[in-house]
Amino acid sequence: MSTKNPGSGTSKRGFASMDEERQREIASEGGRAAHASGHAHQFTSEEARRAGQKGGEAVSSNREHMAAIGRKGGEASHGRRNEGAQQAKGGRQEQKNEEED
């Protein structure tokens, strides 16, 4: 039998159902314990740099993904710039239509 809250679709049990503050407390305890026992790995700056580089290579090798990122950025920056131009152009068109009538 499931232990779900009626109507909410979420379980009353488990880590994910805890409030955020309690999750942080538990995760923090785990981190401290790992460091105290010597099992936690601390990256050197060189290791961190290489890990970031590998991640960048993996992402940038997907050309479709990179194109989508560039398109989204272009739409964000050019969209704002062109909004004023489009409104001005629309205004000129309306004025032209009124003169023709």
Side-chain angles (χ1 to χ4, degrees):
M1 181 167 166
S2 176
T3 58
K4 297 195 179 243
N5 295 333
S8 72
T10 59
S11 174
K12 294 179 183 179
R13 298 172 45 178
F15 188 76
S17 68
M18 294 178 189
D19 67 70
E20 221 172 281
E21 186 59 35
R22 182 64 181 136
Q23 286 180 359
R24 281 198 178 105
E25 290 172 13
I26 292 171
S28 181
E29 288 172 21
R32 280 193 294 273
H35 282 282
S37 68
H39 288 94
H41 180 74
Q42 295 208 344
F43 284 94
T44 64
S45 59
E46 178 60 28
E47 286 174 317
R49 186 191 66 76
R50 181 65 190 134
Q53 186 177 27
K54 283 175 67 176
E57 288 170 0
V59 169
S60 63
S61 68
N62 182 342
R63 302 291 296 159
E64 289 177 15
H65 177 69
M66 294 305 289
I69 291 170
R71 195 167 29 257
K72 188 173 182 181
E75 288 169 358
S77 64
H78 299 300
R80 282 192 302 269
R81 187 178 324 140
N82 290 338
E83 272 179 11
Q86 290 293 337
Q87 289 172 352
K89 186 177 180 181
R92 286 193 303 268
Q93 187 65 39
E94 285 176 20
Q95 186 178 18
K96 189 176 181 182
N97 289 343
E98 288 173 4
E99 289 173 1
E100 291 173 357
D101 291 336

